[in-house]
Amino acid sequence: MTIELLMPRPMLPIVQEQLDARYTVHRLYEAEDPDAMLAEIGPKVRGIAMAFGPVNTALLSKLPNAEIVSSFGVGYDHINTDDCLAAQVMVTHTPDVLTEEVADTALGLMLMTVREFGQAERWLRQGNWEAKGPYPLTQATLQGRTLGIFGLGRIGKAIAKRAEAFGMRIHYHGRSKQDDIAYPYHASLTGLATACDTLMVVAPGGTATHHAVNADVLEALGPTGIVINIGRGTVIDEAALIAALENGKIYGAGLDVFEAEPHVPPALLVLPRVTVLPHVGSASQATRNAMGQLVVDNLNAWFETGKAVTPVPEMN
Ligand code: NAP
Ligand code: 8YV
């Protein structure tokens, strides 16, 4: 009898092939009637392999023998860990293997935003260089900027290392001061924004950080302020961000993540000093494969030894 798994949505070939070789995988996305499929196979499912959710009591109640959710990605705000703990279901994620890739993306996004490289490239491609002359000088520069990192964790620290090499001063905010970190700590996000002109959001999503970057924080950042979001869309109040950009309360924004992905508010797209990316922080083949391998490794370790490789902190 092979162990039965649920796969709610398609995953990378590296994941599908390895899981197919070892388990019976029920692909919910292929079912004509997903509810009927869940009713039929739900009690047999012992593991879930997935990229995004939601995972909560509503789903777990249909999977009474589920033991583990192996999630693709380091952020797991789509998973209700309280519900999983109550149902005695292990939750794993894919930290570390994507840290450097996401930090690279964050730096690229910051440079694109400050120096308007996307807009400058469009200027060239649209024939404006030849027809009208050089792209206008950017009114912002990275030189002399102070970077405030909201969420100085694995990725935040990798961003800080890179930003230091670019000559930026670094400050940070999190729930607590880190004793081994020399960068100035700010107990409040508004305090961080006041001390900085560039705000790097790399904190997790979820209720605790929902709309943490609000109108007051943006006002504190000031008219030369630039916000970069490589964390989660829900951490920024998107309506407040649009208003702050429209009213000149801040200067610009670079966004890899959005509140209601893949929807991006049209009001953002018409703003001149906004750079947008379609959630590509970790999106190289090599890094995504490493994340996928960790999804597989967690399932294999769990069913072989009863221990997961990379459980989310709430499971410890
Ligand atoms: P991490 O090591 O856990 O770091 C998260 C940091 O956020 C910690 O330093 C933590 O500091 C802080 N934090 C957590 N909850 C907070 C709260 N309620 N208020 C204030 N600060 C809080 O995680 P990571 O590996 O760096 O990943 C960070 C996030 O990046 C992920 O959760 C994910 O959402 C996002 N991400 C995005 C992409 C992308 O493609 N754009 C890719 C990967 C990850 P304290 O404990 O001191 O509060
Ligand atoms: C992934 C991410 O694109 O790891 C994360 O938290 O946001 C990205 O690396 C995403 O999780 C894929 O679902």
Side-chain angles (χ1 to χ4, degrees), residues 40 53 311:
E40 186 195 329

Side-chain angles (χ1 to χ4, degrees), residues 73-77 93-96 98-99 102 105 150-157 172-178 185 189 201-205 207-210 212 229-233 235 256-257 261 279-283 288 291 313:
V74 65
Y76 53 96
D77 42 303
H93 64 151
T94 62
D96 300 315
L98 45 53
T99 295
V102 180
T105 311
F150 174 22
L152 192 71
R154 289 170 291 247
I155 300 170
K157 289 188 178 84
Y172 75 103
H173 164 71
R175 288 165 297 188
S176 47
K177 185 177 184 319
Q178 301 181 40
Y185 170 73
L189 195 46
V201 178
V202 64
T207 47
T209 57
H210 186 259
N229 192 0
I230 194 79
R232 277 291 179 270
V235 179
D256 184 49
V257 288
E261 294 174 11
H279 201 148
V280 293
S282 65
R288 286 286 172 86
M291 293 160 64

Side-chain angles (χ1 to χ4, degrees), residues 93-111:
H93 64 151
T94 62
D96 300 315
V97 293
L98 45 53
T99 295
E100 304 300 327
E101 193 80 73
V102 180
D104 289 348
T105 311
L107 264 287
L109 180 57
M110 181 169 68
L111 280 166

Side-chain angles (χ1 to χ4, degrees), residues 135-152:
Y135 182 75
L137 303 181
T138 62
Q139 296 308 298
T141 170
L142 198 70
Q143 297 308 306
R145 281 192 168 260
T146 303
L147 184 66
I149 300 183
F150 174 22
L152 192 71

Side-chain angles (χ1 to χ4, degrees), residues 271-284:
L271 289 165
R273 290 189 297 273
V274 171
T275 297
V276 285
L277 294 176
H279 201 148
V280 293
S282 65
S284 73

